[in-house]
């Protein structure tokens, strides 16, 4: 489903990813753990298609297509979703309008019929209830005046509405208290299935107590340094990332 | 004061400006008509004031940002002859059935129809009949030496109409006023007057449109008698080659309320001035607007809210977008006179620049002589937030649609203030059409 091969990326002229390779199958949950500055956020942004990153080498194949040559909106239509570490506030555009526009744009691109307003509202209501969100928030500008937890919940709501094939979660745990973390994780777990994969990017092991990964990767110095099962996350929690810095220095 | 006395005093003040004279070339001939003496005197006063200033230049106070180079007098000529036009070209009504149609400023009774309790007649007819208040309302023009556009309009005082709403009558259906300009390098100088009797209410929709090249210099005066209520919505959709200068003076009496909004999207060059005069107590006055400028267009909103007496509230709320090499100007002032205690004044202007060569200028001003007032203002100019655009695109929304959504939501902040929903919807539709036309 996702094949990243030897990905090299510069940000602001400086190499950040230096030969990252990663392969995911449908339905899998992968975690990428790494220290600050290891390239975690760069990876998520490059996959989503944000400006400002220069791919100098490597390939990314998603659903059998060359992901890097596509516009961000086309990646979304193909089933890619990035849950932002810092969701953006958009005053004046209500969350409902935003969700409806996004969902229908994706459906249109996929050759599906746009949802009637009533069908859309029904779907939205159902997802809101599942996430324990206040329906009033849907009338407000996207993320405007939302708390940190509400913003992350809103990311999960968008994910639930758009039903992606691959959801990249960029430090979704940052800025969340334990209750919010539980709610967000439950939302994510509810979306797990044989057709939906997750790439969970995090600094801390804590999130992985709630979203159990199948595979854990350690990202340091722009490369995957080690890949293992969930036990790898526990090991990192105990020992930190120091060993991987050493490994890179030596390499 | 007689015309002769005026002449002497003007001559004593300043010499004539050579560039002003071609603008007045058709004014003398007009004086052969049967207008009342005081109207003729007013024309002379206007012509003389204009002859001493000409059009404002960039050195004029209040004209620093709008360059009138496009106005070449030799090109635009006034004619009092009945204008020939193709009635099929006059746009069909936006809403409802009631409307007043002007072609090149000339009132067209055959194309007009009115609701009950509303009287409309041409300016000349109103002057002949000496409709109550007309002379006073016409003569009170402010300092013509400082308002050359008004002076020039006065020099050609003839066209336009008077609309009166009877007191205690609330006219539910909106009245559409179409200012259609038939082009052919015409200079048109309509003078329009709206007068709402005590405790009357109405909604007016002004549409300024046309084809080809022309110069429309409109002077509108609105008198709101005590406790009357007016909603005034304008669509400035002049032709691409058209030039638009309008002065709208709203004189509000005790307890009256005015809600104005104007969309500026037409014309090569446009300036809309609004002067809100809150001359008594407990008056509420709001004026808002939005502009959509592209290509080489230029638009100027210049607004004064003038508080004379206590307990008044005025609001100015403007937002606009500028693309390509277009320019936009907002000059807003709140003037609070010494007696106007407990004034509540607010003004804001926000511009969105869609291209690196687009320009927006803002001059917010507060001039306050009373000590117990609440006045505030805010002004910004910015670009679309690229982070927000990426966020929308990452959710599958195409780039063009993401930009349109952002622009619509930005302007929505101003348009939402329009309380009359059918017109609000049309404003939103105009924005959507503009965005679709530019390919976002």
């Amino acid at each position: 489903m996702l094949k990243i091969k030897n990905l090299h990326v510069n940000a602001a002229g400086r190499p950040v990813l230096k030969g990252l390779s990663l392969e995911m199958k449908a339905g899998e949950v992968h975690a990428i753990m790494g220290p600050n500055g290891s390239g975690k956020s760069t990876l998520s942004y490059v996959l989503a298609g944000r400006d400002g990153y220069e791919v100098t080498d490597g390939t990314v194949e998603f659903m059998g297509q060359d992901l890097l040559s596509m516009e961000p909106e086309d990646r979304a239509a193909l089933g890619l979703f990035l849950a932002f570490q810092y969701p953006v506030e958009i005053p004046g555009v209500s969350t409902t309008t935003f969700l409806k526009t996004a969902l229908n744009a994706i459906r249109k691109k996929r050759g599906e019929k746009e949802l009637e307003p009533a069908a859309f509202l029904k779907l939205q209501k159902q997802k809101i209830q599942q996430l324990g969100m206040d329906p009033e928030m849907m009338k407000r500008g996207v993320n405007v005046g939302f708390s940190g937890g509400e913003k992350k919940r809103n990311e999960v709501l968008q994910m639930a509405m758009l039903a992606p094939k691959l959801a990249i979660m960029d430090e979704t745990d940052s800025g969340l208290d334990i209750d919010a973390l539980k709610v967000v994780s439950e939302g994510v777990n509810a979306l797990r299935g044989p057709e939906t994969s997750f790439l969970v990017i995090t600094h801390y092991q804590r999130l992985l107590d709630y979203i159990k990964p199948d595979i854990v990767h350690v990202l340091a110095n722009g490369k995957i340094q080690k890949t293992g099962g969930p036990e790898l996350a526990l090991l990192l929690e105990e020992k930190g990332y120091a060993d991987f810095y050493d490994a890179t220095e030596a390499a | 004061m007689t015309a002769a006395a005026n002449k002497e005093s003007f001559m004593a003040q300043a010499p004539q400006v050579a560039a002003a004279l071609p603008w007045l070339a058709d004014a003398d001939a007009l004086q052969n008509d049967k207008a009342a003496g005081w109207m003729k005197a007013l024309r002379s006063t206007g012509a003389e004031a204009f002859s001493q200033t000409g059009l404002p230049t960039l050195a004029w106070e209040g004209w620093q940002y709008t360059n009138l180079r496009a106005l070449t007098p030799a090109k635009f000529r006034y004619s009092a002859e009945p204008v020939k036009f193709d009635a099929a070209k006059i746009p069909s009504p936006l809403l409802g059935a009631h409307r007043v149609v002007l072609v090149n400023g000339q009132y067209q009774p055959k194309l007009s129809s009115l609701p009950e309790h509303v009287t409309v007649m041409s300016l000349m007819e109103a002057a002949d009949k000496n409709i109550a208040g007309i002379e006073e309302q016409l003569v009170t023009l402010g300092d013509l030496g400082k308002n050359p556009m008004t002076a020039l309009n006065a020099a050609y005082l003839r066209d336009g109409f008077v609309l009166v709403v009877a007191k205690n009558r609330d006219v539910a259906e909106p009245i559409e006023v179409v200012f259609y300009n038939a082009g052919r390098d015409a200079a048109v100088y309509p003078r329009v007057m709206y007068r709402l009797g005590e405790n009357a209410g109405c909604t007016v929709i002004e549409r300024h449109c046309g084809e080809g090249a022309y110069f429309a210099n409109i002077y509108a005066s609105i008198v709101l008698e005590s406790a009357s209520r007016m909603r005034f919505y304008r669509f400035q959709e002049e032709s691409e080659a058209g030039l638009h200068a309008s002065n709208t003076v709203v004189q509000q009496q005790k307890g009256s309320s005015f809600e104005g909004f104007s969309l500026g999207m037409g014309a090569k060059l446009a300036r809309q001035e609004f002067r809100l005069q809150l001359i008594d107590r407990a008056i509420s006055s709001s004026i808002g607007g939005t502009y959509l400028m592209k290509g080489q267009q230029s638009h100027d909103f210049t607004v004064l809210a003038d508080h004379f007496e206590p307990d008044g509230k005025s609001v100015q709320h403007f937002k606009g977008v500028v693309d390509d090499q277009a320019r936009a100007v907002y000059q807003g002032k709140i003037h609070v006179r010494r007696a106007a205690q407990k004034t509540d004044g607010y003004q804001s202007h926000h511009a969105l620049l869609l291209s690196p060569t687009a320009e927006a200028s803002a001059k917010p001003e507060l001039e306050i002589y009373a000590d117990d007032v609440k006045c505030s203002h805010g002004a910004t100019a910015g670009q679309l937030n690229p982070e927000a655009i990426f966020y929308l695109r990452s959710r599958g929304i195409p780039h063009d649609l993401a930009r349109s959504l952002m622009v619509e939501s930005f302007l929505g902040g101003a348009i939402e203030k329009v309380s009359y929903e059918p017109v609000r919807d049309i404003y939103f539709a105009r924005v959507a059409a503009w965005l679709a036309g530019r390919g976002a």
Side-chain angles (χ1 to χ4, degrees), chain B residues 80-408:
Chain B
E81 293 297 311
V83 59
K84 292 191 181 72
F85 62 96
D86 178 0
K89 288 192 173 168
I90 294 170
S92 48
L94 287 173
L95 294 166
H98 299 301
R99 62 180 191 166
V100 178
V101 175
L102 302 183
V103 178
N104 282 13
Q106 299 169 4
Y107 173 49
Q108 308 292 330
K110 284 182 187 157
L111 298 175
S112 304
S113 85
L114 291 157
E116 266 193 293
H117 314 301
V118 176
T119 316
V120 172
M121 63 187 77
S122 75
L123 187 75
M124 292 299 277
E125 187 187 345
D128 277 351
K129 292 185 175 164
N130 212 2
I131 296 284
I134 184 170
E135 186 175 345
E136 180 200 347
Q137 198 173 343
L138 278 174
V139 171
T140 315
L141 291 170
D143 185 347
L144 290 179
K146 285 185 178 163
N147 296 290
M149 287 293 182
T150 305
L152 185 56
N153 176 285
Y156 289 96
L157 186 64
R158 180 181 187 279
D159 301 320
F161 66 87
V162 175
L163 181 153
V164 179
V165 182
K167 70 175 182 180
N168 295 321
R169 296 296 181 177
D170 211 332
V171 181
E173 309 101 301
I175 305 158
E176 193 171 307
V177 182
V178 181
F179 295 78
Y180 178 78
N181 297 300
R184 297 188 290 271
D185 297 333
V188 303
Y189 300 104
R191 171 72 57 103
V192 301
M193 295 172 44
Y194 302 93
R195 190 170 191 108
L196 272 66
E198 271 178 42
N199 194 36
C202 77
T203 300
V204 166
I205 302 167
E206 275 196 356
R207 300 174 70 186
H208 297 261
C209 53
E211 60 179 289
Y214 54 85
F215 168 51
N217 174 345
I218 305 112
Y219 188 96
S221 79
I222 299 173
V223 171
L224 302 181
E225 292 187 25
S226 58
S228 64
R229 304 158 301 280
M230 185 187 206
R231 290 190 290 208
F232 178 87
Y233 303 123
R234 179 180 285 163
F235 292 80
Q236 186 280 94
E237 299 178 301
E238 305 281 16
S239 77
E240 256 175 62
L243 305 166
H244 173 107
S246 57
N247 275 280
T248 306
V249 178
V250 187
Q251 193 190 82
Q252 290 187 250
Q253 299 174 9
K254 194 170 184 175
S256 64
S257 69
F258 176 77
E259 177 195 318
F261 192 89
S262 179
L263 169 71
M265 63 190 290
K268 183 159 76 177
L269 172 71
R271 166 144 160 153
Q272 299 189 52
E273 273 192 54
F274 289 90
R275 266 178 287 159
L276 311 174
Q277 300 177 332
L278 292 75
I279 60 170
D280 207 328
R281 288 173 171 258
I283 288 164
S284 155
S285 195
S286 80
I287 179 76
T290 188
Y291 50 80
L292 303 162
M293 290 284 110
K294 61 184 175 185
Q296 311 277 330
Q297 282 182 295
S298 174
H299 193 280
D300 179 334
F301 272 122
T302 292
V303 180
L304 167 68
D306 197 349
H307 291 258
F308 289 69
E309 295 289 332
D311 306 320
K313 181 176 178 175
S314 72
V315 176
Q316 303 174 29
H317 203 94
F318 289 83
K319 276 188 160 187
V321 293
V322 204
D323 200 2
D324 305 323
Q325 291 89 47
R327 294 173 47 89
V329 178
Y330 165 77
Q331 305 185 96
K333 183 168 171 177
I334 305 173
H335 183 210
V336 182
R337 297 178 189 238
R338 202 175 299 276
Q341 300 294 357
K342 308 279 183 198
T343 286
D344 187 349
Y346 175 75
Q347 58 168 262
S348 74
H349 171 255
H350 301 284
L352 188 58
L353 303 169
L354 298 180
S355 117
T357 46
E359 265 184 61
S361 310
K363 192 170 83 175
E365 275 183 283
L366 301 176
E367 191 176 327
I368 301 171
Y369 298 98
D371 49 26
D372 184 13
V373 302
K374 201 170 82 186
C375 283
S376 58
H377 63 89
T380 61
Q383 291 158 319
L384 288 175
N385 175 5
E387 292 290 318
I389 297 280
F390 173 64
Y391 190 69
L392 294 170
R393 294 179 74 191
S394 79
R395 299 302 182 246
I397 299 174
H399 197 184
D400 287 359
L401 189 54
R403 285 174 58 110
S404 294
L405 200 58
M406 298 278 295
V407 173
E408 275 180 48

Side-chain angles (χ1 to χ4, degrees), chain A residues 49-50 71-73 76 81-82 84 90-93 98 101-102 105-106 143 155 158, chain B residues 385 387-401 405-406 409-410 416:
Chain A
R50 189 189 190 195
E71 297 293 334
E73 53 269 37
F81 182 92
L82 169 64
F84 283 57
I90 310 180
V93 180
F98 165 59
T101 309
I106 285 178
N143 293 321
E155 293 293 289
Q158 293 165 39
Chain B
N385 175 5
E387 292 290 318
I389 297 280
F390 173 64
Y391 190 69
L392 294 170
R393 294 179 74 191
S394 79
R395 299 302 182 246
I397 299 174
H399 197 184
D400 287 359
L401 189 54
L405 200 58
M406 298 278 295
S409 68
F410 171 78
E416 276 161 12

